[in-house]
């Protein structure tokens, strides 16, 4: 139910791993976990910073508090405990916050990015519709790799993973084989195969930065129209809703605003917050019933029922178009009020595509 387990659960799980012969653990450390001391007593060999974007402000209150919380993994935890003499920080300096963090960390730092000054960097890369081809430079030399992931943001993720491998003295051959072994990451620009000629992707993007990144990643490799189906979660940061509405309406040919996990909020109240931003893009506001014959002008529409919104997004698309279904990604449920019901964006998309 949470990303980083509570401290007692985490220590119990780690203890079970140790007794079972597990030698390495890779874990996500959330900002909540840092503030709530869930990782107290955990000593890290390597910590990686990937990015900072607006999220979790319902918990932290403001971006500065959120940022300070994230930094503590590097300024408090990585530099303490019995492993401090061997600890290494891996920091994505393609991100402005990463450059700031790299100047503060007191342990050895491996920087990653697309620039010529980073420790682990891309010499050249091509991001295509279904793959990334590139040349990577590490302290261990240079090698060519092919990945079945999509988008420049995944290139940054690959570099961070390679940086962590370098910090643990893994060979470039192992890094290359690891990159090329990954076929897909569930719910992260996951392609939905079909014979209808549409390019349909499901992605977990639920913040302004993430949504813009995935849309731009797809626009960079797609030629025809972009349709985006998305919503925002209830009982969470409300300030990001109009930001996401503006991004989707500005960057896409058609944005379909729907429900995500409304939780205990009124779904239409959430949607109205999103509409505030969508209106700033100055596109046409369509009625769902009016899209029966397609659309010619950029704009947005509202369909609060997520199943119907997915159906609409695919129905109005043409062969060659891209449909991005964002916000829930790998999740197999939808939370309405206090009820959790089975719901999978990928399965809903497949049902519609199979009928085309």
């Amino acid at each position: 139910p949470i990303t980083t387990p509570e401290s007692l659960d985490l220590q119990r799980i780690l203890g079970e791993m140790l007794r079972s012969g597990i030698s390495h653990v890779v874990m996500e450390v959330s900002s909540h976990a840092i503030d709530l001391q869930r990782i107290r007593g955990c000593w890290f060999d390597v910590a990686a910073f990937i990015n900072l974007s607006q999220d979790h402000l319902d918990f932290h209150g403001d971006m500065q508090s959120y940022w300070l919380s994230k930094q503590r993994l590097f300024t408090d935890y990585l530099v303490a405990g019995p492993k401090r003499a061997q600890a290494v920080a891996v920091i994505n300096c393609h991100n402005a916050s990463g450059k700031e963090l790299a100047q503060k960390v007191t342990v050895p730092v491996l920087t990653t990015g697309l620039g010529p000054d980073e420790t682990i960097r891309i010499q050249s890369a091509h991001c295509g519709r279904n793959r990334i081809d590139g040349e990577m430079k590490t302290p261990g030399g240079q090698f060519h790799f092919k990945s079945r992931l999509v988008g420049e943001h995944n290139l940054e993720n690959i570099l961070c993973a390679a940086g962590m491998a370098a910090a643990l003295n893994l060979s470039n051959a192992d890094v290359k084989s690891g990159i090329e072994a990954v076929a897909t990451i569930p719910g992260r620009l996951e392609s939905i195969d079909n014979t209808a000629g549409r390019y349909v992707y499901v992605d977990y993007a639920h913040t302004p930065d993430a949504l813009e990144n995935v849309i731009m990643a797809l626009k960079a490799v797609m030629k025809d129209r972009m349709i985006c189906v998305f919503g925002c979660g209830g009982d969470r940061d409300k300030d990001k809703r109009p930001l996401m509405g503006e991004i989707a309406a500005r960057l896409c040919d058609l944005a379909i605003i729907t429900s995500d996990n409304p939780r205990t909020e009124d779904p239409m109240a959430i949607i109205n917050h999103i509409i505030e931003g969508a209106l700033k893009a100055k596109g046409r506001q369509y009625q769902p019933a009016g899209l029966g014959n397609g659309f010619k002008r950029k704009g947005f529409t509202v369909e609060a029922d997520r199943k119907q919104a997915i159906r609409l997004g695919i129905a109005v698309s043409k062969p060659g178009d891209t449909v991005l279904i964002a916000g829930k990604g790998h999740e197999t449920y939808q939370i309405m009020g206090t009820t959790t019901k089975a719901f999978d964006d990928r399965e809903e998309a497949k049902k519609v595509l199979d009928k085309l």
Side-chain angles (χ1 to χ4, degrees):
I2 53 178
T3 52
T4 309
E6 297 288 355
S7 55
L8 290 177
D9 296 328
L10 178 57
Q11 293 299 327
R12 174 180 51 78
I13 292 165
L14 293 173
E16 290 175 1
M17 288 178 171
L18 182 63
R19 290 188 293 275
S20 299
I22 300 298
S23 61
H24 292 68
V25 174
V26 182
M27 64 181 288
E28 176 184 11
V29 176
S30 70
S31 57
H32 292 68
I34 296 170
D35 274 12
L36 299 174
Q37 300 192 56
R38 293 180 190 162
I39 57 169
R40 184 173 179 177
C42 293
W43 314 120
F44 299 92
D45 295 86
V46 185
F49 172 81
I50 300 177
N51 62 33
L52 176 75
S53 62
Q54 182 172 328
D55 202 5
H56 309 304
L57 298 193
D58 53 297
F59 178 84
H60 294 288
D62 57 69
M63 283 298 295
Q64 182 62 16
S65 298
Y66 178 35
W67 177 215
L68 290 173
S69 176
K70 279 204 169 192
Q71 291 181 54
R72 287 179 53 215
L73 176 61
F74 301 86
T75 59
D76 294 8
Y77 285 95
L78 196 60
V79 298
K83 294 184 175 181
R84 60 184 178 275
Q86 67 196 59
V88 179
V90 176
I91 298 177
N92 176 17
C93 287
H94 190 62
N95 181 276
S97 297
K99 292 182 179 179
E100 176 187 335
L101 180 61
Q103 302 302 313
K104 297 181 178 180
V105 176
T106 58
V107 299
V109 175
L110 297 179
T111 61
T112 71
L114 309 182
D117 299 327
E118 313 309 345
T119 319
I120 292 89
R121 59 187 182 273
I122 295 298
Q123 297 291 84
S124 62
H126 171 70
C127 296
R129 186 155 49 204
N130 296 305
R131 64 190 299 170
I132 301 171
D133 286 277
E135 292 284 334
M136 185 182 299
K137 178 76 172 179
T138 78
Q142 184 170 322
F143 65 93
H144 181 79
F145 70 91
K146 296 180 181 179
S147 170
R148 283 173 280 184
L149 302 181
V150 179
E152 186 176 287
H153 64 291
N154 272 322
L155 194 56
E156 294 180 48
N157 291 335
I158 288 169
L159 284 168
C160 284
M164 297 184 81
L168 294 169
N169 297 313
L170 297 182
S171 69
N172 277 351
D174 284 337
V175 174
K176 175 182 169 70
S177 64
I179 293 170
E180 297 184 347
V182 178
T184 187
I185 302 171
R188 267 65 171 181
L189 271 184
E190 184 175 354
S191 177
I192 308 300
D193 292 336
N194 66 86
T195 57
R198 274 71 165 177
Y199 300 100
V200 181
Y201 295 88
V202 170
D203 193 88
Y204 189 53
H206 60 281
T207 68
D209 182 69
L211 186 63
E212 183 164 2
N213 278 339
V214 295
I215 292 173
M216 294 306 295
L218 291 174
K219 285 174 70 72
V221 296
M222 303 302 179
K223 295 180 180 179
D224 295 332
R225 301 181 305 174
M226 169 74 68
I227 298 166
C228 179
V229 180
F230 80 105
C232 292
D235 301 334
R236 297 293 186 269
D237 175 18
K238 296 181 180 180
D239 291 341
K240 69 181 181 182
R241 296 170 185 172
L243 300 177
M244 294 176 67
E246 190 277 332
I247 288 167
R250 170 170 50 87
L251 296 178
C252 299
D253 295 283
L254 180 67
I256 300 176
I257 301 169
T258 188
S259 297
D260 189 289
N261 292 317
R263 299 183 177 88
T264 63
E265 280 194 71
D266 176 6
M268 284 309 303
I270 298 170
I271 286 171
N272 285 334
H273 286 153
I274 300 172
I275 290 174
E276 290 175 14
L279 289 170
K280 294 180 181 179
K282 301 187 184 304
R284 178 176 176 180
Q285 183 170 359
Y286 291 95
Q287 295 301 315
L291 290 167
N293 295 319
F295 63 97
K296 295 182 179 180
R297 287 176 49 197
K298 282 187 62 166
F300 72 93
T301 190
V302 172
E303 173 50 74
D305 185 308
R306 192 172 183 91
K307 179 183 290 189
Q308 293 303 317
I310 292 171
R311 185 202 65 77
L312 178 63
I314 295 173
V316 300
S317 68
K318 298 177 180 179
D321 286 348
T322 299
V323 180
L324 171 65
I325 306 168
K328 289 175 56 58
H330 62 287
E331 293 179 352
T332 56
Y333 58 85
Q334 188 174 27
I335 305 172
M336 311 283 287
T338 57
T339 302
T340 300
K341 66 175 186 178
F343 191 94
D344 190 321
D345 285 351
R346 298 164 295 188
E347 293 302 321
E348 296 302 327
K350 288 176 184 175
K351 290 176 187 176
V352 181
L353 288 165
D354 288 344
K355 295 178 180 178
L356 292 181

